[in-house]
Each structure stands twice: as C-alpha cells, then as structure tokens.
Amino acid sequence: MKIDPKDFRVPEGKKVRLKKWATCTKPFYKSEEHYKGLLANDVKELSHLQSMLYAGNEYSLLLIFQAMDAAGKDGAIKHVLSGVNPQGCDVYSFKHPSAEELQHDFLWRTTCRLPARGRIGVFNRSYYEEVLIVRVHPEILRGERIPEELNAHKTIWEGRYRSIVDLEKHLHRNGTRVVKFFLHLSKEEQRKRFLERIDEPGKNWKFSLDDIVERKYWDQYRTAYEECLSATSTGSAPWHVVPADDKLNARLIVSRVVIEAMEELKMSFPKLDRARRNELQSIRKKLTK
C-alpha cells in the first residue's frame, strides 16, 4: 500500500475538527524490518534530492514540526533526515523567547533562522507557538510588550494568522517551499509515552513536571490547533495532519511528504556551458599526464 501525501493534507479553507482526523491508521509496513527497508529507500532518495537542491542553489525547503508533547517530533526529524548532508541542513528548536527576542515582533527570531538557497531548514516548533501556547496561556503576551490598543483578545489571533500566511506566501514567491507537519497524537498514547519516560532510565531526561501541567490544557490546545490549522493551511504552504500514535508509520508518512514536495521543484544538476566543459577537459589532461 502506497502513501499518498494528499490523504494527510489540510485543504485551504477547510474547517478542521481534530476528532475527525485519525491518530492511528493502518500501517504502511508489514514488519519492523520492512519499515527499516522502506525508510532506508526514502532516506536514499532524500539524499539525492538534497544534492540537487544544494547544487542548484535556487530553492530552499523549510520543514515545520508542531505537536503535543511526546508526539515524536525529534524522532521523525532524526530518522527521516538521517541521510541528509549536515552541511546543507539546519535544525532549530524554539523554546521560550530570550530577552532580546521579546524586544521584536513575534516573527523576528524565526525569520533570522530561515534556510538560505540550496539548504533545508527544520523548525522543531516554530512561530506557530505564538498562536498555540500563547493562546492557551495569554498571560505570556504581557511579556511581549505589545501596545495595549493592539492587544485585543478578539483580533490578535486573526492578525497573527494573517501575518504568518503573508510570510509564507512571501517565502514561496521567493523560492522557499514551506511544508508543515502536525503530529496528531491521542491523549491515551501520550499518557503511555509519559509513563515510558518515567519507567525507562534512558528516557528520564525527557520528562518534566511541566509536561503534566500542560497535559491539563489538552482541550484548550486542541482548540488552538484546530483554529491554527484551519486558518493557515494554504495551497503553497499546506499543513499535513500525521497520525502519530504509531511512530514508525508517522516517519514513513513524513518522509513521503518531504520527497513529494522536493520532487515538485523539478530540480536537476546544473548544466555546464561549452567553455566550462572545455576548461574541465583541459584540467583533466593535466591531471592524467
């Protein structure tokens, strides 16, 4: 059974209700060994596509990952991009803004980290935190020093959605393709993964009491994600809702979405003009003497 990225894409203008989107789907692999083989083939294909992206130096690719805690963002990034040349890829994880970042608009700190031409950029959390965690915890806005007349609760989120969509359309017009993933995890699966982090010593470092505190806001986060996905999934920068209860399946879906996005760029290695070919042949003759 082949993976069709369109099955997970949020159409532009669609009102999202996450209860209607699966957190688990029929596996695209028959066994763990089969999964490893499928992923290895995807990793090899991604490596080839990245080489053309880097050599062409025209397009760039921005991958954005958002999810509830323990949904598998780190694992998806680690496994799917395991064959990518580190020299052509940058991964950033955005946490609480620094004092300097709070002196700028909410897009400033991520804009500084956008991928250059020929490169892949990965945002593990992103500017979308500003319409997710900040929406669930509006008290955070007080630290952002937004003028009071611009901080009306009813309009600030719509304004931020518009700023985000405008930014992503601008990036698309200038050669950066934006692909967004929401790893859709069930509350029960999150509970199981939290317990694993407590029970397995090698995973203790991943767990903190803050995770349990945020779990209490599950319904509020779900509403914030629904509004966000509905408002910011566009034809040029679509959201993909990836069932995340099965980590292996989620990684295969993510890899196919990334591959399709890169294939749509119709890239090829740069063609040399006659002068450059003659120059290389001249150099070759010197090297073979």
Side-chain angles (χ1 to χ4, degrees):
M1 184 168 58
K2 290 187 177 181
I3 297 173
D4 186 351
K6 296 181 181 64
D7 292 339
F8 307 97
R9 191 175 301 162
V10 178
E12 184 170 355
K14 181 180 178 61
K15 193 72 173 177
V16 174
R17 289 290 176 261
L18 288 175
K19 285 184 177 181
K20 297 181 179 180
W21 291 75
T23 60
C24 191
T25 189
K26 185 177 180 181
F28 292 100
Y29 59 94
K30 299 175 183 178
S31 65
E32 187 166 345
E33 285 303 311
H34 185 217
Y35 152 77
K36 290 179 180 179
L38 292 173
L39 186 63
N41 288 336
D42 284 353
V43 167
K44 183 177 180 180
E45 191 170 352
L46 274 172
S47 177
H48 176 68
L49 289 166
Q50 186 215 10
S51 295
M52 287 194 290
L53 179 76
Y54 190 79
N57 200 37
E58 292 179 340
Y59 292 102
S60 56
L61 182 70
L62 175 62
L63 307 178
I64 294 177
F65 290 84
Q66 293 285 159
M68 300 291 283
D69 292 327
K73 298 187 305 300
D74 293 352
I77 294 168
K78 175 182 176 180
H79 287 83
V80 172
L81 299 177
S82 60
V84 168
N85 187 338
Q87 294 186 89
C89 183
D90 303 295
V91 181
Y92 298 101
S93 182
F94 295 96
K95 300 185 184 298
H96 190 277
S98 67
E100 179 187 15
E101 290 166 348
L102 287 171
Q103 294 298 319
H104 298 269
D105 68 274
F106 79 95
L107 290 172
W108 181 80
R109 67 172 179 160
T110 48
T111 300
C112 295
R113 297 290 182 262
L114 289 170
R117 298 194 188 282
R119 301 183 70 84
I120 296 175
V122 182
F123 285 178
N124 185 350
R125 301 192 186 278
S126 65
Y127 44 79
Y128 280 101
E129 292 292 282
E130 292 289 336
V131 292
L132 295 168
I133 187 172
V134 177
R135 183 163 185 167
V136 174
H137 299 285
E139 65 274 11
I140 295 175
L141 282 172
R142 290 196 293 270
E144 297 186 1
R145 304 182 63 82
I146 299 171
E148 186 174 349
E149 64 271 19
L150 302 178
N151 197 11
H153 184 76
K154 292 183 179 180
T155 59
I156 190 168
W157 310 120
E158 286 78 6
R160 288 192 169 189
Y161 294 147
R162 181 174 178 180
S163 294
I164 289 170
V165 170
D166 287 346
L167 168 68
E168 291 175 348
K169 287 183 176 180
H170 164 77
L171 292 175
H172 185 85
R173 286 193 298 268
N174 286 274
T176 297
R177 294 297 177 262
V178 183
V179 184
K180 302 176 291 192
F181 299 97
F182 169 60
L183 302 188
H184 189 22
L185 186 73
S186 68
K187 193 173 185 181
E188 173 60 17
E189 180 62 22
Q190 187 194 60
R191 184 185 70 85
K192 292 178 181 178
R193 294 183 187 180
F194 280 170
L195 288 173
E196 286 180 6
R197 292 181 176 186
I198 295 172
D199 295 339
E200 297 183 26
K203 294 184 178 181
N204 289 169
W205 65 273
K206 290 185 175 182
F207 187 77
S208 75
L209 289 177
D210 290 341
D211 296 333
I212 295 298
V213 172
E214 289 304 296
R215 183 173 162 84
K216 296 177 181 178
Y217 296 96
W218 184 275
D219 291 340
Q220 292 94 318
Y221 273 110
R222 182 175 62 190
T223 299
Y225 269 110
E226 288 175 341
E227 294 293 331
C228 171
L229 297 173
S230 301
T232 61
S233 191
T234 63
S236 58
W239 276 105
H240 297 82
V241 178
V242 179
D245 283 2
D246 182 338
K247 292 181 180 180
L248 307 188
N249 222 31
R251 293 166 190 168
L252 292 176
I253 293 169
V254 168
S255 66
R256 292 314 306 177
V257 171
V258 176
I259 287 171
E260 182 186 73
M262 297 186 76
E263 287 177 338
E264 288 177 353
L265 298 178
K266 302 188 184 304
M267 300 177 293
S268 61
F269 289 105
K271 295 181 179 179
L272 303 181
D273 58 26
R274 180 177 297 178
R276 177 57 175 161
R277 287 197 300 272
N278 290 340
E279 181 185 23
L280 290 177
Q281 289 302 315
S282 176
I283 294 172
R284 188 180 189 285
K285 290 179 181 178
K286 293 178 181 178
L287 291 172
T288 55
K289 283 183 179 180

